[in-house]
Amino acid sequence: GGGRQVTITRARLRRDLERARDRTRTLTEIPDSELVAQHSPLMSPLVWDLAHIANQEERWLVRAAAGREAVRGDVDGLYDAFLHPRATRPDLPLLGPDDARRYAAHVRETVWDVLSSSDFGDELTRDGFVFAMVAQHEQQHGETMLATHQLRDGPPLLSAPDAPRTGIRPTPERVLIPAGEFEMGTSDDPWALDNERPAHPVYVPAFQLETVPVTNARYVEFIDDDGYGRPELWSEEGWRHRQEARLTAPQFWTRDTQGHWWRRRFGRTEPLHPDEPVVHVCFFEAEAFARWAGGRLPTEPEWEKAARWHAASGRSLRYPWGEAEPGPEHANLGQRHLGPAVVGAYPDGASTLGVQQLIGDVWEWTASRFEPYPGFRAFPYREYSEVFFGGDYRVLRGGSFGTDQVACRGTFRNWDHPIRRQIFSGVRLAYDPPEASGASDV
Ligand code: AVJ
Ligand code: FE
């Protein structure tokens, strides 16, 4: 590309890396005792994430991209997620909080030098890819660290302005996405990760999708209608899990003696807001809710077609609203708020077919397992995506209030085990299209 393109990209990469570090600081400028504690066996101590972020940055930017000497080659093993499962990380001789912060700062200083001298000349650095990959990685851990904060007990450590409390629920409640092919995935988004590639045509039969995520009020109706007590609403596997884990409501919910629902969020217990999207449900709960409501979860191609397909041009957009970078008018992203906004709060973020809040607020469970697209090639490392294909994972789409915009777009794919619900996961309902009259002659 020309000099102008590279100049723009460098400044942009610098901002994205700085924003990631600001986020990391916000989440880790807490007492040492909170940083080294393991708040849940599902999560690492926050001090592990802090040095892991630095270690990943030096592996990819200092060593791989620039071919420079390791800043700290001696700690690679400690911060390799595949060598040590999360539950065992507190027992490792981890860097302490001050050493971890110094390590991250030292790597970052070196990276500024690497960024200004890179000619973006090879596959790893083209269009700034590997720098953006590292910014996305740090922000992904920023969301994971936020989930760790949600799991910890004790008085609040984080605060942010409330998410929008007023919205206009869109009509109609569902839209029809007509049958036809669309382009799924991408081959030309320079910062897309390997599992989003390549672009490929997918035929999607007609279906309906709700225009907003499922709300708390509706989820309470499911609970009150004995949704957690009726095995016929659940898959066999889901019902087994519901019994073993004794699920009776989304995580972090409690009901008082008068029957009112409360939820705990980042150390504050507040009345459940009826119009907020439900969050902290696992895939099995999402599936059971959908069956109770007479619908189903969207497949991954359905979700992406609803989010990206532009009927007028037949092309796929980067975001539901088009190509513009997400702003505060489009979506609740980036931990600006520490919770989802009410439904209908982001009309400017609607897709061309009128579906709202596909990006931001809560991750949406899809019915699909995490599998490679045809023509997938692991890049630049197998452990980002490839080793998870074929495992017991379901895909989530769209990002949450905890997701940064650098790690969120219409093609972005997240995945987790179907029992997980400490993530900021919610539900969007799909339906088969209403039967056309006279369809009986098929
Ligand atoms: C894409 C969110 C499933 O957190 O396990 C972070 C992202 N990969 N470090 C995860 C990731 C390596 C990943 N998810
Ligand atoms: Fe990581």
Side-chain angles (χ1 to χ4, degrees), residues 52 86 137 140-141 144 381 384 388 412-415:
H52 166 80
R86 284 177 177 175
H137 180 261
Q140 288 175 329
H141 279 271
T144 300
Y381 65 115
Y384 180 70
F388 297 98
F412 190 88
R413 309 173 75 196
N414 192 6
W415 64 94

Side-chain angles (χ1 to χ4, degrees), residues 201-217:
V202 177
Y203 176 83
V204 182
F207 70 103
Q208 291 181 309
L209 194 67
E210 293 200 349
T211 46
V212 292
V214 169
T215 62
N216 286 331

